[in-house]
Amino acid sequence: MSNTTRNAALGLLLGLSTAIVASADDGSHLWLRKSAPDLAIVKTEAPMSDTLRIALAELSRFHDHNVEVSTNKHRTDLGTDGFEILMNGDKLKIVASRDVGILYGVYHLLRHQACGTQFTDNFQVKEVPYYKFRMLNHWDNLDGTVERGYAGSSIWKWDELPGKVSPRYTEYARANASIGINATVLNNVNASPKMLETANLKKVKAIADVLRPYGIRVFLSVNFASPMVIGKLKDADPLKPEVAAWWKDKAKEIYDLVPDFGGFLVKANSEGQPGPCDYGRTHADGANVLADALKPYGGVVIWRAFVYGKKTEERVQQALLEFQPLEGKFRDNVVIQAKNGPLDFQPCEPFHPLFGKLKQIPLGMEFQITQEYLGQSNHLAYLATLWKEVLDSDTYQNGPGSTVAKKIHESGMIAGVANIGDDVNWCRHPFAQANWYAFGRLAWNPDLKADDIAKEWLAQTFTSNPAFIEPVCDMMMSSVPAIRQYMMPLGLAHIFASTLGNHYGPGPWLYQAGNESFLQYASLVSTNDEKAPGRRIFDATKDALGADRTKTTGTGTVLQYNAPLCDQYNDLKTCPERYWLWFHRIGWKDKLPTGDTFWEHLCGEFESGAKIAATYPGIWESVKTYVDNERYELVLGRLKLQAREAVWWKDACILFYQSVNGLPLPKGITPPIYDLAKLKRINFPSNVHFCPKPEDVNRALDGALKK
Ligand code: GCV
């Protein structure tokens, strides 16, 4: 039997046995599910460490080949975390320079095994991670809630710690190590000062002790006012010696408990958080006082660039205006962490201008794994395609080929806001696990392809049968493009219903002239010039839609991009279609080269996205035989809701824009089934801590149907 035939036969077998045996699966095992038919014999002469013990246990429980492992500190070509695997006679051999590299090598082997790789004589792999800090940022609060968390409460049980250490922490560490994640920020960037109280630091130590053998270092988000709030100082002015001394003492206390502590993540002077600007100081002054405190221990400060406020600049320009003048002023253990785009994790944003403009300040990346703006835990949105688009973007900072991926390599830092909660299956939507997985894989190697990652995740999480993998992978790959179409096509952004801060469902009517208090609250006024067209981001007027950010007639945001992007974005003819409304105001009746008007084209986008989402339940039904009942039903219910919500978005946007521009529904567009006035009244009793339940959404939509 050829290898391919054998693989297919094996896959079929796996598929059938899954269908017959696994009638229920709670999803708690994530992608780490396969057990080996024969137990491996594992040999090493290396001295035993906790990390090595874990690696060997994984091998002997789950791998079906004999393996020899060897830690060789002279293998500097493998860096601190890399590994090499070779077939050596009848044994596989894993070599690394540190034990953690062996652990990563072991998980790599398990991944290969689950994906059906044949370990033939010429099997050989050498892997060195591209980024040094591959990090999760939890937005978990001490009271057990999770900001933008859609999978239950926090996994950190602060009220039980340090006395009781949940076994879930070990499972968490294992899952992360299996995809190369080596750092975690335990708490929300909207940080409680209490996090740094001694009692809580002892709890942090208990978690750090569990994560350490898996190669994971713990970081904390800190509140800049901590010296005042828990240190009882008069203020937190970073230039005052007593404030600096307080941070130094606190750092010592932390490192006494957690010797490999990673450092601090800080959200300062942003969305009401305290910061150095409260005392007339700069972000550099603020970051440096913390950096000096951490420096003796090798810790780093991750200072967020997500800043905006009541400035004259428009929100998407502010970070560059604020940080560019500070080049050269930060200590060398400070990294500035920028979101992938300049607004706020929208379904489609151009990359953050900081990545192309800052020269000396090391920049880290912040992606959002949790789907705040992409259907939360109700929609399937495979985010690897979005992240790849950003990582592969060319900033032209040092000529062509200056990708964002390379830029962040300078700091070595890539972070993702975690989508993990205490739900049994960790992420609530079974397919949200794929985003956690894909983030880790891309943090290890940003050159991996999104569809390859999806396929390996599917093979490990469900079955390696191609009859399952092919259609489901296609569905995953189409998901973000479809969401962009049915929610915010052509560069629209932030038109969510968010009166309760939930960012759930459509609300384009909120972002309009006349709704000043809301616009101020959301800081979504694009310029203070009252007369400027498109003053409000995505303001729809009788004539046009979009934000004019050109240098010719608009706010000049395009100037924050290097040539040739600046001119490319400035001209509608060369601007990529997905950013049209981000950079331009376009007349509803303007003719496009296709012959359609802009209005017709826009409606076609909503329609097309909704049509793609409508195919998802059928695709899933067609692979029913390969999936256990529990996950099958869970996914099916959510895909049906997603299809329904796509129509909700399409109808809400088209009906609202029609109410502004007075234009008829273009030919070929499915007539709306919802009533605009009723849609405007939908208001879920949800908040920043959870996503509306599918049954509540369905009920609300039933009530909004046209009579
Ligand atoms: C943690 C957005 C989210 C907030 C989040 C903020 C941030 O505004 O809606 O919940 O706060 O980003 O990234 O700091």
Side-chain angles (χ1 to χ4, degrees):
M1 203 189 286
S2 75
N3 274 352
T4 338
T5 329
R6 187 161 172 266
N7 278 346
L10 182 71
L12 197 62
L13 198 68
L14 285 170
L16 286 175
S17 63
T18 302
I20 295 161
V21 180
S23 60
D25 187 317
D26 62 13
S28 60
H29 301 294
L30 297 159
W31 48 88
L32 294 163
R33 303 155 41 77
K34 293 265 154 69
S35 54
D38 308 308
L39 294 187
I41 299 169
V42 184
K43 266 183 56 185
T44 180
E45 276 158 23
M48 207 40 76
S49 67
D50 288 346
T51 305
L52 211 49
R53 204 168 286 119
I54 293 166
L56 301 190
E58 293 282 14
L59 275 178
S60 47
R61 276 175 61 210
F62 297 109
H63 205 256
D64 57 4
H65 267 76
N66 296 339
V67 186
E68 188 182 334
V69 305
S70 132
T71 310
N72 177 353
K73 66 176 189 304
H74 301 295
R75 286 296 302 270
T76 47
D77 59 313
L78 298 173
T80 52
D81 294 0
F83 56 83
E84 186 166 31
I85 310 176
L86 323 140
M87 200 52 157
N88 187 6
D90 63 343
K91 282 198 296 281
L92 283 159
K93 183 165 183 188
I94 311 177
V95 188
S97 70
R98 293 196 311 156
D99 291 350
V100 73
I102 299 284
L103 185 63
Y104 293 140
V106 165
Y107 286 122
H108 198 76
L109 267 187
L110 297 183
R111 175 162 44 246
H112 270 284
Q113 175 174 277
C115 295
T117 302
Q118 303 297 308
F119 298 105
T120 51
D121 287 350
N122 51 9
F123 181 80
Q124 181 167 8
V125 186
K126 182 173 168 185
E127 293 259 338
V128 179
Y130 191 63
Y131 298 115
K132 181 171 170 203
F133 299 98
R134 307 174 294 277
M135 176 182 285
L136 289 185
N137 289 179
H138 286 266
W139 284 358
D140 296 22
N141 300 312
L142 285 171
D143 66 2
T145 57
V146 182
E147 181 153 348
R148 311 304 174 187
Y150 309 114
S153 301
S154 171
I155 52 165
W156 315 124
K157 301 300 168 197
W158 298 109
D159 47 348
E160 299 174 349
L161 284 160
K164 186 167 168 206
V165 178
S166 159
R168 264 223 146 182
Y169 305 157
T170 308
E171 291 168 39
Y172 166 90
R174 177 175 183 241
N176 279 316
S178 77
I179 48 174
I181 286 171
N182 68 350
T184 183
V185 181
L186 300 180
N187 62 318
N188 190 357
V189 286
N190 290 330
S192 163
K194 287 186 178 355
M195 192 70 244
L196 292 182
E197 285 176 353
T198 303
N200 285 325
L201 293 177
K202 291 187 176 150
K203 300 175 187 211
V204 170
K205 173 192 161 39
I207 298 175
D209 288 345
V210 177
L211 306 191
R212 186 172 301 111
Y214 288 87
I216 300 169
R217 287 172 79 188
V218 160
F219 289 65
L220 290 177
S221 293
V222 296
N223 182 299
F224 198 77
S226 301
M228 268 167 80
V229 184
I230 61 169
K232 306 290 175 222
L233 297 187
K234 229 168 87 239
D235 60 41
D237 182 346
L239 297 194
K240 287 203 172 149
E242 61 272 28
V243 172
W246 188 88
W247 283 112
K248 284 203 163 116
D249 289 348
K250 197 41 87 178
K252 176 167 186 326
E253 184 186 352
I254 296 173
Y255 280 94
D256 283 347
L257 290 165
V258 184
D260 58 347
F261 180 68
F264 295 144
L265 171 63
V266 194
K267 172 174 176 178
N269 293 117
S270 163
E271 297 187 328
Q273 292 300 315
C277 310
D278 302 346
Y279 309 97
R281 313 299 184 197
T282 67
H283 285 285
D285 297 328
N288 290 346
V289 72
L290 302 178
D292 290 343
L294 297 174
K295 179 82 177 173
Y297 314 96
V300 297
V301 173
I302 310 164
W303 194 267
R304 293 176 93 225
F306 181 65
V307 292
Y308 62 89
K310 292 185 176 44
K311 297 257 177 169
T312 47
E313 308 90 28
E314 66 157 316
R315 174 168 163 174
V316 299
Q317 289 184 17
Q318 196 172 326
L320 184 64
L321 295 171
E322 196 124 9
F323 284 90
Q324 203 165 32
L326 298 176
E327 291 256 54
K329 301 221 162 94
F330 288 95
R331 300 283 191 266
D332 61 6
N333 58 334
V334 177
V335 173
I336 301 298
Q337 186 186 66
K339 293 188 178 182
N340 56 275
L343 187 53
D344 189 9
F345 299 133
Q346 297 302 293
C348 187
E349 291 187 48
F351 67 83
H352 203 304
L354 287 176
F355 294 119
K357 285 293 183 194
L358 291 191
K359 296 199 172 98
Q360 299 171 44
I361 299 176
L363 275 172
M365 169 64 77
E366 182 177 8
F367 284 130
Q368 200 177 41
I369 308 174
T370 191
Q371 294 168 224
E372 177 178 357
Y373 296 104
L374 285 124
Q376 302 180 6
S377 52
N378 288 339
H379 290 207
L380 186 163
Y382 176 53
L383 299 176
T385 53
L386 188 160
W387 299 332
K388 280 292 283 180
E389 180 181 286
V390 178
L391 291 166
D392 293 346
S393 294
D394 198 341
T395 72
Y396 293 92
Q397 184 173 42
N398 305 306
S402 308
T403 60
V404 171
K406 285 187 195 158
K407 179 71 187 172
I408 56 176
H409 187 250
E410 293 165 12
S411 74
M413 184 165 288
I414 183 163
V417 179
N419 62 349
I420 299 162
D422 69 355
D423 273 15
V424 170
N425 76 357
W426 302 86
C427 305
R428 189 152 302 181
H429 196 309
F431 277 77
Q433 295 179 355
N435 291 328
W436 177 8
Y437 181 87
F439 171 76
R441 299 289 288 134
L442 285 174
W444 182 275
N445 179 1
D447 288 335
L448 290 175
K449 287 171 58 201
D451 55 346
D452 289 342
I453 298 175
K455 283 177 187 161
E456 58 179 52
W457 175 77
L458 287 166
Q460 294 168 87
T461 308
F462 293 98
T463 164
S464 55
N465 192 328
F468 171 81
I469 289 190
E470 293 301 329
V472 180
C473 176
D474 287 350
M475 173 167 75
M476 290 168 76
M477 291 298 289
S478 73
S479 59
V480 165
I483 290 175
R484 286 174 170 178
Q485 282 187 303
Y486 66 68
M487 279 188 185
M488 273 159 276
L490 306 176
L492 274 175
H494 223 307
I495 52 169
F496 293 92
S498 68
T499 38
L500 290 171
N502 58 18
H503 294 155
Y504 200 87
W509 42 86
L510 293 170
Y511 300 84
Q512 290 292 109
N515 205 358
E516 297 308 316
S517 59
F518 176 77
L519 290 162
Q520 288 298 335
Y521 147 79
S523 283
L524 287 170
V525 177
S526 63
T527 157
N528 276 1
D529 177 359
E530 299 275 346
K531 297 200 185 76
R535 175 176 173 254
R536 287 155 203 88
I537 298 183
F538 311 112
D539 201 3
T541 59
K542 178 129 193 64
D543 309 321
L545 178 67
D548 186 350
R549 293 181 167 133
T550 64
K551 58 182 173 179
T552 334
T553 50
T555 61
T557 299
V558 293
L559 293 165
Q560 292 199 331
Y561 291 89
N562 295 318
L565 293 178
C566 170
D567 288 331
Q568 210 180 86
Y569 292 161
N570 196 57
D571 185 346
L572 187 59
K573 289 198 209 69
T574 50
C575 182
E577 197 172 312
R578 64 179 185 278
Y579 304 142
W580 276 0
L581 294 167
W582 184 276
F583 288 114
H584 296 269
R585 273 186 80 68
I586 308 181
W588 301 111
K589 295 181 186 163
D590 287 1
K591 277 271 182 204
L592 303 177
T594 54
D596 285 344
T597 63
F598 169 67
W599 170 239
E600 288 161 346
H601 188 65
L602 179 73
C603 292
E605 289 289 297
F606 286 118
E607 176 83 10
S608 155
K611 280 201 167 131
I612 293 168
T615 64
Y616 290 172
I619 293 172
W620 191 243
E621 279 163 350
S622 76
V623 296
K624 181 175 196 299
T625 173
Y626 305 110
V627 188
D628 57 281
N629 290 341
E630 200 171 348
R631 288 184 298 171
Y632 175 77
E633 292 298 340
L634 196 58
V635 172
L636 184 62
R638 281 182 156 70
L639 290 178
K640 285 183 178 165
L641 180 63
Q642 181 166 0
R644 192 171 191 201
E645 289 199 13
V647 176
W648 173 23
W649 272 92
K650 162 189 157 289
D651 286 6
C653 292
I654 292 182
L655 287 169
F656 169 68
Y657 293 138
Q658 275 189 295
S659 76
V660 177
N661 64 19
L663 293 172
L665 191 70
K667 271 208 246 59
I669 304 299
T670 313
I673 56 170
Y674 293 108
D675 178 274
L676 181 61
K678 292 180 186 167
L679 289 178
K680 285 186 181 178
R681 288 198 293 272
I682 292 182
N683 216 349
F684 294 108
S686 58
N687 58 24
V688 301
H689 302 311
F690 51 84
C691 165
K693 290 194 188 123
E695 55 271 30
D696 292 340
V697 182
N698 274 319
R699 200 173 313 111
L701 291 179
D702 288 345
L705 286 166
K706 279 187 180 160
K707 280 278 172 286

